[in-house]
Amino acid sequence: MKIAFFDSGIGGLSVLAEALQRFSGAEFLYFADEDHVPYGTKSRTEIVRLSLDAVGFLVARGAEAIVVACNTATSAAISELRGAFSVPVIGMEPAVKLAADSFGARPTLLIATPLTIAGEKLARLVGRLECETWSLPLPRLVEFAQDLEFDSPAVRAYLQGELGKFELARLGSLVLGCTHFNYFKDVLREILPPHVRIIDGIGGTLNRLASELGGGLKLARGEDLLSRKVKFNVDGLDVSGGQNARGKSRQCEGSDESCGGEQGAEEYDGDGGKIYYPNDNSVEYFYSGRALDAEQLRKVEIFLKRLDAMREID
């Protein structure tokens, strides 16, 4: 079964990384719309158009289920996506209900993109809660993540300045309402008081995916969906077929023509470029409809290593 993950950029890798750890024997597709990142500052109409294009590409590639691993795209386009495609479409939702149920005696602070915070979907969700919820848009954090800038002085100054607007000592939890924000858990942990828990919606999304697909997904080593005991190690990844993360594409060898991420989607061999991970999972990566080249695959490895380090935080 082919399961696709779609995000405006690299944020959705945080969802994919957890899926690689939880499930086994799955064929995953990952679509990063890096030509148009970030989504959080775009209009709803534009996000809907881009999301329909991305999911259409993935369905044409054989995806039998779609995870919209982007809170902004979920907020703006989930209804249109479910109406346009017959495959299951699972969205990301900020885990404010989980935060309220677990730490409702204290306020919750939701950090997300401007569009997610301004969306009607979130307003309805928060309106049903009895917990006090504060919201903070952090659009620059998406840009920092895309630039591989995770714990620089600029990142720390930005987060300290923005979070300093709130009485952090009063908080019970901080909710990550953007999948890009998972890369900054260590910096957030240093800034927040020790009692404040950091919560994201990845677990709930993957639980929903498993429920939608029934027996279509196998748990890794028979473990429970909530188990995180087996650490994912990207150092052991194997690359076969058309793309090699540690060398140039085999399709380019012996050719004078340029090759790599700029080749059109119609020129990409769907049987090549498959990356094999532990638990007998595989992933095909796409950069706005194009197959990733060797340099871009190495970048993916950097992101996955960072996420692995963040997994132990809260």
Side-chain angles (χ1 to χ4, degrees):
M1 170 172 279
K2 284 190 177 182
I3 300 165
F5 294 79
F6 153 60
D7 182 45
S8 61
I10 53 87
L13 287 173
S14 58
V15 189
L16 173 63
E18 191 65 25
L20 286 168
Q21 181 159 328
R22 293 188 180 203
F23 305 120
S24 67
E27 290 185 83
F28 295 123
L29 308 175
Y30 186 84
F31 185 105
D33 193 10
E34 301 244 341
D35 283 357
H36 304 103
V37 68
Y39 277 13
T41 55
K42 289 179 168 53
S43 69
R44 180 181 179 277
T45 299
E46 188 173 5
I47 295 170
V48 169
R49 177 181 62 80
L50 293 171
S51 299
L52 287 169
D53 288 346
V55 173
F57 172 88
L58 292 166
V59 170
R61 287 278 165 183
E64 299 168 79
I66 304 289
V67 177
V68 183
C70 174
N71 294 85
T72 301
T74 298
S75 177
I78 195 70
S79 296
E80 286 80 0
L81 291 173
R82 287 173 175 162
F85 301 99
S86 59
V87 301
V89 180
I90 294 91
M92 291 289 300
E93 189 170 81
V96 289
K97 185 179 187 305
L98 173 61
D101 291 344
S102 303
F103 310 101
R106 290 174 175 266
T108 293
L109 175 59
L110 167 66
I111 57 175
T113 64
L115 191 143
T116 296
I117 287 176
E120 295 181 6
K121 194 173 189 298
L122 178 63
R124 290 194 299 269
L125 176 61
V126 172
R128 296 195 295 267
L129 304 177
E130 297 182 359
C131 175
E132 184 178 1
T133 304
W134 306 337
S135 298
L136 174 65
L138 292 175
R140 284 192 64 197
L141 213 54
V142 175
E143 298 172 14
F144 283 130
Q146 289 292 138
D147 292 337
L148 281 79
E149 191 174 348
F150 301 125
D151 57 3
S152 68
V155 168
R156 291 175 180 275
Y158 177 62
L159 287 175
Q160 287 171 344
E162 293 298 317
L163 293 172
K165 300 173 182 178
F166 298 87
E167 296 180 70
L168 300 181
R170 289 186 55 201
L171 288 177
S173 60
L174 176 88
V175 173
L176 307 180
C178 175
T179 51
H180 282 83
F181 295 177
N182 286 274
Y183 294 94
F184 302 95
K185 281 185 176 180
D186 55 348
V187 181
L188 291 167
R189 181 70 280 163
E190 292 176 14
I191 296 172
L192 295 169
H195 70 272
V196 178
R197 294 295 303 274
I198 301 174
I199 300 173
D200 63 53
I202 293 175
T205 298
L206 294 182
N207 289 345
R208 176 68 182 275
L209 173 66
S211 176
E212 287 275 348
L213 299 183
L217 271 175
K218 296 187 297 182
L219 297 181
R221 303 183 185 181
E223 293 176 352
D224 184 84
L225 275 173
L226 298 180
S227 173
R228 300 188 179 196
K229 293 181 181 178
V230 180
K231 291 193 68 176
F232 171 65
N233 180 9
V234 295
D235 289 330
L237 70 79
D238 173 46
V239 183
S240 71
Q243 301 284 341
N244 190 310
R246 293 174 175 81
K248 67 180 181 178
S249 166
R250 294 179 185 175
Q251 296 169 355
C252 301
E253 294 179 356
S255 172
D256 294 329
E257 298 177 0
S258 62
C259 194
E262 293 305 315
Q263 68 186 101
E266 70 279 359
E267 298 174 346
Y268 174 68
D269 177 8
D271 294 327
K274 188 173 289 187
I275 316 301
Y276 289 91
Y277 291 93
N279 300 328
D280 197 30
N281 295 313
S282 65
V283 184
E284 287 184 79
Y285 294 96
F286 299 97
Y287 182 113
S288 297
R290 303 183 297 275
L292 270 65
D293 61 18
E295 181 180 353
Q296 292 160 343
L297 286 171
R298 289 293 293 174
K299 190 174 180 180
V300 166
E301 185 172 345
I302 292 172
F303 291 135
L304 291 177
K305 283 184 175 180
R306 175 73 180 174
L307 291 167
D308 194 40
M310 297 299 99
R311 184 174 286 116
E312 302 302 323
I313 299 176
D314 278 324

